[in-house]
Amino acid sequence: MTLLHATDIDPGATIEADLCIIGAGAAGISIACALADSGLSIAMLAGGGEQFRHRDQMLYHGRNIGRESFAPGKARFRMFGGSTTRWAGQCRPLDPVDFEPRPGLPDTGWPIGAETLAPWYRAAAEVCDLDDWRFDPPTLTGLETHEDAAPVRYRHGHNVDFAVSYGPKLAQSNTTKVYLDTHVTGIVQAGSRISHVEATGPDGRRIRFAAGNYILATGGLENARLLLASTAGSPNGLGNERDLVGRYFMDHPFFFGGALELAPGVGPEAVDALQGYEQAGVAQRSHGAFALGEGLRRDEGLNGAAVFFVERAAHKSSEDFLSTGGVAMTRVLDVLMHRELPDGRLGRHLPALLTHPGEVGRSTLERLRGAVSKRRTLAARFTLEALPNPESRVRLDPRRHDRFGMPHVTVDWRLTRGDPGGLERLRGGLARLFADGGIGELSLHGARDADGFPVSMEGGKHHMGTTRMSTDPARGVVDPDCRVHEIDNLFIAGSSVFPTGGYVNPTLTIVALALRLADHLRGRTGAAASKAGQA
């Protein structure tokens, strides 16, 4: 691998390669590594450097105009390695039911099945540096689990920064070049093919990349942003003849919803069993959760949901802390202490401080007591599957642009009436599970908003669905091989192609799909070379 900076390239130059990968995160690096011995010349374009820089990160600014979540500029990282540079390494494959259409849940189901991805999941486990590619559930002695509260296992990778882990491997390839600080501003279509990619260096110099095939691998927000902004040859944006690019945006809602009060006599071994930990030295490599069973989701048409039990300061699981006023105080403090961008939060939450003064006061007392007592509890952290919704979408902001003239994104995250279904079923199953097993009492609380969702709920920074996969061009942006419909040589990698997202972290599935795409491209380019030789 050769690391080059955009400023090392002559202004106006055209760089030619067999394959151009736009993006250098989990998907892009996985594909480059898988093809490092293919003989293909590969140009990988990274919209940042080897180190985090605020100037680059500012290019990711945008606005949330739908449900509240993390600001777009805080939800991903623009540098070599992408968001793997901040990722905790948590992995689990999607369940087989996640690939299937479910009764009463529109737009569910993938055009490929779990059996298609099974071998690639095993390979992805190795790429993600897991101790074990199997995800057998934790053993819970004395607890009779059932379909509405089934134990599941997650695994954690050891070395999760892909730039650090796989930079040396790519360095051994004489055919791969990584172009740092190379900011793509347009993908140009000519007929049914992409002719070239336009990029800009940090000093404003223009560079052109021309390749036989192109892979867009910049994440769930940026994939849509680049397609929508690339209007040369297509006034509605690339692949957007049917107004599907940016639609069906999904994230995983996360929130704390109470705590488990252990019964007298229940010891630390029960806590370890509930959390499902496996230890290797001092590093956590596995942990457990409870999820809604596959059979229940399949038969009753429910979305997925799961809960983790994590040790947390006791006051952060209290009813006052999770009240409307308590959450508003947390959100305002996050902005004031620079843990989060304003993104409209002050306007939404400052009024709540005035209209719920009792909750604000009690929440403040809880914080003060927590600072003194240091008492901890087993907090219940819930996550659920957000169902596909065409009105949940990513658009371009016509009024705000970055320093290269690219429009910012506006994220209009919306949930559906069906989204609480799996959660409510799981909550009921958990309460019965712990009461019947004599483990303790699950205290579930927290204020709800006007739509019935917890006010403490935020996204998981898992951006999915904006270029969804389908065999039918009228229902998706890419085909089952992740090729953009009606464009011969443009492919998309990453979670933006997910038709549904399940309840689990997307990275393992991102890598599995990336490895599958790399294998497809290896065969595609090999076949093309063979035909050229025969000609």
Side-chain angles (χ1 to χ4, degrees):
M1 174 187 70
T2 303
L3 277 176
L4 299 169
H5 290 260
T7 51
D8 297 329
I9 304 169
D10 292 335
T14 296
I15 308 298
E16 296 186 351
D18 295 319
L19 177 64
C20 178
I21 302 174
I22 305 168
I29 290 176
S30 296
I31 292 169
C33 285
L35 294 175
D37 64 348
S38 66
L40 297 173
S41 58
I42 300 172
M44 176 183 286
L45 315 185
E50 293 181 88
Q51 304 298 324
F52 177 85
R53 295 187 301 240
H54 286 286
R55 181 173 170 80
D56 294 332
Q57 190 66 19
M58 287 176 65
L59 297 170
Y60 274 167
H61 276 343
R63 293 186 300 147
N64 284 312
I65 61 174
R67 294 203 66 87
E68 181 169 280
S69 190
F70 292 96
K74 279 279 192 179
R76 55 249 163 87
F77 292 89
R78 194 174 179 113
M79 59 186 294
F80 184 40
S83 294
T84 69
T85 60
R86 299 296 190 279
W87 175 48
Q90 183 167 294
C91 290
R92 179 173 170 81
L94 292 172
D95 294 327
V97 69
D98 292 320
F99 295 92
E100 304 167 7
R102 275 165 280 170
L105 302 182
D107 297 313
T108 54
W110 290 47
I112 60 175
E115 70 285 351
T116 301
L117 271 194
W120 301 111
Y121 270 132
R122 186 165 183 172
E126 183 175 347
V127 171
C128 293
D129 204 11
L130 304 184
D131 290 333
D132 194 334
W133 60 270
R134 295 165 297 183
F135 290 84
D136 52 302
T139 300
L140 300 173
T141 305
L143 281 182
E144 187 176 345
T145 58
H146 39 81
E147 278 281 84
D148 51 5
V152 295
R153 184 180 301 284
Y154 289 73
R155 295 194 179 278
H156 287 247
H158 293 256
N159 301 310
V160 295
D161 185 333
F162 279 30
V164 172
S165 298
Y166 296 108
K169 178 177 179 178
L170 290 175
Q172 297 174 10
S173 170
N174 296 323
T175 57
T176 302
K177 294 182 180 180
V178 176
Y179 295 87
L180 301 173
D181 299 317
T182 304
H183 307 279
V184 174
T185 54
I187 305 170
V188 181
Q189 181 178 358
S192 63
R193 294 179 63 81
I194 300 304
S195 63
H196 64 277
V197 166
E198 299 282 357
T200 304
D203 58 355
R205 70 182 63 199
R206 300 297 181 90
I207 309 161
R208 177 175 291 188
F209 291 86
N213 289 294
Y214 300 82
I215 299 175
L216 183 56
T218 56
L221 301 185
E222 289 298 299
N223 282 352
R225 180 191 188 194
L226 277 170
L227 290 175
L228 291 171
S230 297
T231 56
S234 181
N236 297 320
L238 288 178
N240 198 33
E241 291 80 3
R242 297 168 179 84
D243 189 30
L244 289 173
V245 172
R247 289 190 182 271
Y248 293 97
F249 171 74
M250 298 175 290
D251 200 346
H252 288 129
F254 278 89
F255 64 92
F256 283 95
L260 175 63
E261 297 294 335
L262 296 176
V266 174
E269 66 282 352
V271 175
D272 290 341
L274 288 174
Q275 294 177 315
Y277 289 153
E278 288 177 351
Q279 299 289 338
V282 297
Q284 175 185 312
R285 297 300 173 218
S286 166
H287 73 267
F290 292 92
L292 205 62
E294 281 196 75
L296 205 57
R297 284 181 275 156
R298 181 179 291 115
D299 297 340
E300 300 188 16
L302 292 170
N303 61 321
V307 62
F308 309 86
F309 288 97
V310 296
E311 288 195 52
R312 195 177 194 226
H315 73 276
K316 292 185 177 182
S317 295
S318 71
E319 191 165 357
D320 289 322
F321 192 88
L322 298 175
S323 66
T324 299
V327 170
M329 184 176 180
T330 299
R331 298 287 191 261
V332 171
L333 288 175
D334 283 344
V335 174
L336 296 179
M337 298 178 70
H338 304 290
R339 292 191 296 253
E340 180 57 282
L341 299 176
D343 194 33
R345 289 184 173 218
L346 294 180
R348 284 190 294 270
H349 294 296
L350 281 174
L353 299 183
L354 302 177
T355 57
H356 296 78
E359 293 174 352
V360 172
R362 292 191 295 273
S363 174
T364 301
L365 288 176
E366 288 279 2
R367 292 171 189 268
L368 295 174
R369 291 193 191 103
V372 174
S373 71
K374 306 294 184 183
R375 189 171 72 88
R376 302 183 72 78
T377 189
L378 278 178
R381 187 175 190 237
F382 289 90
T383 181
L384 61 144
E385 173 187 12
L387 293 168
N389 179 3
E391 299 307 313
S392 181
R393 63 190 302 187
V394 173
R395 294 186 178 94
L396 300 181
D397 190 330
R399 297 176 299 168
R400 295 174 173 84
H401 298 74
D402 66 23
R403 70 179 189 270
F404 299 121
M406 289 287 288
H408 286 178
V409 293
T410 59
V411 182
D412 188 359
W413 182 31
R414 303 189 190 187
L415 299 177
T416 72
R417 292 182 178 179
D419 285 302
L423 171 66
E424 296 306 322
R425 192 64 179 270
L426 174 65
R427 284 161 62 111
L430 287 169
R432 291 193 303 275
L433 174 71
F434 296 130
D436 294 347
I439 298 297
E441 181 179 354
L442 184 62
S443 174
L444 299 172
H445 49 251
R448 302 288 186 105
D449 63 20
D451 296 322
F453 294 101
V455 296
S456 61
M457 187 175 74
E458 289 184 301
K461 305 178 185 178
H462 302 160
H463 308 139
M464 303 172 286
T466 54
T467 64
R468 69 196 322 253
M469 182 193 299
S470 175
T471 54
D472 182 356
R475 300 177 66 83
V477 177
V478 302
D479 68 14
D481 291 323
C482 296
R483 181 181 63 83
V484 175
H485 287 295
E486 299 169 0
I487 301 180
D488 293 340
N489 62 339
L490 178 60
F491 298 81
I492 298 181
S495 53
S496 68
V497 306
F498 290 14
T500 56
Y503 63 85
V504 302
N505 304 57
T507 305
L508 190 68
T509 304
I510 289 172
V511 174
L513 283 170
L515 297 177
R516 177 175 176 265
L517 175 55
D519 187 67
H520 173 73
L521 288 171
R522 184 189 292 268
R524 174 186 172 101
T525 54
S530 175
K531 289 180 181 178
Q534 292 172 7

